[in-house]
Amino acid sequence: GTMKNFKKPKYILLGLIFIFLLAVMISLSYGQINISFYDVIKVLSNELFSMSNNVSSENSAVVWNIRMPRTIVGVLVGAALAVTGAVMQGVFSNPLADPGIMGVSSGASLGAVLAIALGLNTISMFYMPFLAFVMALSTVLITVLLSLRNGKIPVMVLLLAGVVISIFIGALTSGMLTFMNESKLKEFLFWTVGGLDYRRWEHVYLALGPILVGLATLFLMARHLNILVLGEDEAKAVGMPVMKIRAILLIISSLTTATAVCVSGSIGFVGLVVPHMMRLLLGTEHRLLLPASALAGSIFLILCDTVGRIIIAPTEIRVGIMTALLGAPYFLILLRKAQLKEQI
């Protein structure tokens, strides 16, 4: 029966694309200064198609130099977290798996702290994302190596290893914080909450390549994911090298998440909540689920960011706080449901 209701997903995806475009417009329009959609479109057509519509230079600067990079980073990070969340949940066949599970976020935090502690981020803004990225990947590597059992990676072992390593790395990070002065501490705190404020075009250039390549690869592997979800026996029956595919999916997910985390700080719950909602809407056909998650992840993140900007303006609530406020209750409901299922 999957083909017969293939029409509905088409409309859902079209709806998501429409909401996505609307969310981008809202993100570009609202903030400390509200700029009308009409003026935003004028600015965009000036910048993109070098038309010369008359818009005040102030509005132009706000839309193109402040809000645009911030929104694009939000779109990339939201899509990355939601898609890798969906993939991890498929790979582990566990609806509560999320991108942070492999220790990506904790590793990235350690990298960020190192950059701040060593004062590297005052030399160039690229040091912090670079170190965050390197440490995020190293953590994943250690987690995987610790979980290997004669060529196999048992899922439970991997999850436990991830948790333990995250705790260990968290301790290292906290240890370094005790030796840091106040301004450095503030900087780090800023990073741990995760936000899109002060994101510039440089951040867009940093994240664009790796995230787009990562997402494209995961989209192309959606079919493999479908088979993986059915179970190891089915996969072997089709002649699919389960371990290899699982490893590739994890590596690409980790690279993609690490890139996202290194430009935005750690933002929780997007990778958990969004894929779950999309699964309720679309089922587990990953060829639909992954693109839908990408769109919905972007929508969720940029809307959270915009609400955070407006709600107690001129003060901003960082997006990491907004996603947690919305995501945590949802996660708890998920947890309750999972428990009820276990008991029956």
Side-chain angles (χ1 to χ4, degrees):
T2 41
M3 282 317 288
K4 125 174 145 279
N5 49 17
F6 209 76
K7 238 193 186 132
K8 191 184 76 171
K10 203 168 61 180
Y11 293 122
I12 291 178
L13 281 176
L14 282 172
L16 283 172
I17 291 170
F18 173 72
I19 299 169
F20 170 77
L21 294 171
L22 187 65
V24 168
M25 286 304 292
I26 290 171
S27 177
L28 294 175
S29 302
Y30 288 96
Q32 290 182 26
I33 313 164
N34 291 336
I35 298 163
S36 71
F37 276 13
Y38 183 55
D39 281 346
V40 168
I41 288 170
K42 283 206 279 197
V43 171
L44 294 184
S45 54
N46 286 358
E47 294 290 347
L48 295 171
F49 312 113
S50 50
M51 290 156 93
S52 47
N53 298 314
N54 52 329
V55 211
S56 72
S57 59
E58 185 199 14
N59 278 6
S60 195
V62 168
V63 171
W64 189 253
N65 295 328
I66 299 174
R67 285 184 195 159
M68 195 67 184
R70 177 176 188 157
T71 302
I72 295 175
V73 170
V75 165
L76 290 171
V77 170
L81 294 175
V83 172
T84 52
V87 170
M88 296 249 175
Q89 287 155 21
V91 169
F92 293 131
S93 55
N94 182 342
L96 301 180
D98 91 311
I101 249 171
M102 310 269 301
V104 178
S105 325
S106 61
S109 297
L110 183 60
V113 165
L114 275 170
I116 295 169
L118 300 171
L120 293 176
N121 58 331
T122 50
I123 306 169
S124 150
M125 65 156 274
F126 290 109
Y127 275 110
M128 200 152 117
F130 174 71
L131 271 175
F133 183 75
V134 171
M135 293 306 296
L137 284 187
S138 319
T139 317
V140 173
L141 207 71
I142 296 168
T143 308
V144 170
L145 287 176
L146 277 180
S147 316
L148 269 177
R149 294 276 173 281
N150 41 25
K152 289 204 165 150
I153 306 175
V155 174
M156 276 316 293
V157 180
L158 187 70
L159 299 188
L160 286 173
V163 170
V164 172
I165 286 172
S166 294
I167 293 172
F168 176 70
I169 287 185
L172 287 182
T173 307
S174 310
M176 286 174 68
L177 292 179
T178 51
F179 297 106
M180 275 161 46
N181 63 25
E182 215 168 299
S183 66
K184 286 182 172 175
L185 263 177
K186 269 213 184 91
E187 240 175 294
F188 177 68
L189 249 174
F190 233 55
W191 200 87
T192 37
V193 171
L196 301 172
D197 32 354
Y198 307 118
R199 298 305 116 162
R200 299 201 296 269
W201 283 106
E202 289 92 340
H203 294 92
V204 175
Y205 302 140
L206 265 179
L208 194 64
I211 287 180
L212 288 184
V213 170
L215 292 182
T217 315
L218 291 172
F219 286 171
L220 290 173
M221 292 184 72
R223 218 187 63 236
H224 298 290
L225 204 51
N226 284 342
I227 301 170
L228 261 190
V229 172
L230 291 174
E232 299 223 358
D233 302 333
E234 271 85 349
K236 289 204 175 86
V238 192
M240 193 175 91
V242 179
M243 284 315 300
K244 205 164 158 192
I245 297 285
R246 198 177 267 165
I248 293 171
L249 284 167
L250 286 181
I251 290 163
I252 295 164
S253 296
S254 303
L255 285 167
T256 311
T257 310
T259 308
V261 171
C262 83
V263 289
S264 69
S266 52
I267 295 172
F269 294 108
V270 180
L272 194 87
V273 171
V274 173
H276 188 259
M277 293 176 99
M278 290 303 107
R279 225 177 270 109
L280 293 177
L281 269 179
L282 292 164
T284 52
E285 164 57 83
H286 285 85
R287 280 173 294 188
L288 285 168
L289 184 64
L290 298 187
S293 294
L295 284 165
S298 298
I299 293 166
F300 181 57
L301 201 57
I302 52 183
L303 287 182
C304 276
D305 186 48
T306 313
V307 171
R309 275 189 307 216
I310 305 169
I311 207 165
I312 48 168
T315 312
E316 287 191 8
I317 301 175
R318 305 199 63 191
V319 75
I321 298 171
M322 293 302 301
T323 58
L325 288 176
L326 293 167
Y330 191 84
F331 179 71
L332 290 175
I333 295 168
L334 260 185
L335 212 54
R336 291 283 311 161
K337 273 195 180 145
Q339 269 176 337
L340 289 173
K341 270 198 195 113
E342 300 282 314
Q343 283 160 11
I344 297 165

